[in-house]
Amino acid sequence: MTLLREAIGDSLRRARLAQHRTLREVSTSARVSLGYLSEVERGRKEASSELLAAICEALDVPLSRVLWDVSTIMAGADGAAPREPALTEPVAEPAAEPVPAEPSATASAQADVDARIGIAEDTRIVIPAPRAEMLVLVKGM
């Protein structure tokens, strides 16, 4: 079972490491002791909302993005299926119809695989292009 403080710590650490910043740099900018920031990142201490806001500001990462990341981690740990976006979240515009490519040996091999695992020929998978404001930090497996 993943604890909330551990998921928050993982998210903060990944954000810091992605920026190639040290604990000392972030702790100085957030005005929190280096030791306490380390404890928060390791999931040993519960950070207050004020402290989380200060750390996020020091990392130049919106708190909402960290919380989104944490909810993704927690949902994955619980085995929950991805949820539908809330009514307040922006909805992506429908994508333009793709132009069919010329059939090839690769397409034929893919059709064989699809048939074996039970994917109908008319099934479409649409992956929306990411938008900068919707990027989420997700822990790799």
Side-chain angles (χ1 to χ4, degrees), residues 119 123-127:
I119 298 176
T123 300
R124 291 182 2 176
I125 299 173
V126 178
I127 303 172

Side-chain angles (χ1 to χ4, degrees), residues 100-112:
E102 291 295 318
S104 66
T106 305
S108 174
Q110 185 63 49
D112 291 342

Side-chain angles (χ1 to χ4, degrees), residues 18-97:
Q19 296 175 14
H20 306 288
R21 294 181 63 192
T22 65
L23 273 169
R24 185 171 308 283
E25 291 171 336
V26 176
S27 69
T28 300
S29 181
R31 298 173 66 168
V32 62
S33 76
L34 184 136
Y36 196 80
L37 179 58
S38 174
E39 293 284 309
V40 168
E41 280 193 359
R42 289 185 290 141
R44 305 280 191 240
K45 297 285 184 189
E46 297 273 355
S48 68
S49 58
E50 291 86 0
L51 180 63
L52 283 175
I55 296 168
C56 288
E57 187 175 324
L59 290 169
D60 197 31
V61 174
L63 178 58
S64 61
R65 206 157 290 156
V66 170
L67 295 176
W68 180 276
D69 183 40
V70 168
S71 70
T72 303
I73 292 168
M74 298 297 290
D78 292 343
R83 63 166 186 80
E84 290 295 318
L87 295 176
T88 58
E89 294 175 10
V91 177
E93 294 295 322
E97 282 293 317

Side-chain angles (χ1 to χ4, degrees), residues 1-10 43 46 70 73-74 77:
M1 177 171 78
T2 300
L3 297 176
L4 181 60
R5 69 174 186 254
E6 292 171 346
I8 289 171
D10 286 346
E46 297 273 355
V70 168
I73 292 168
M74 298 297 290

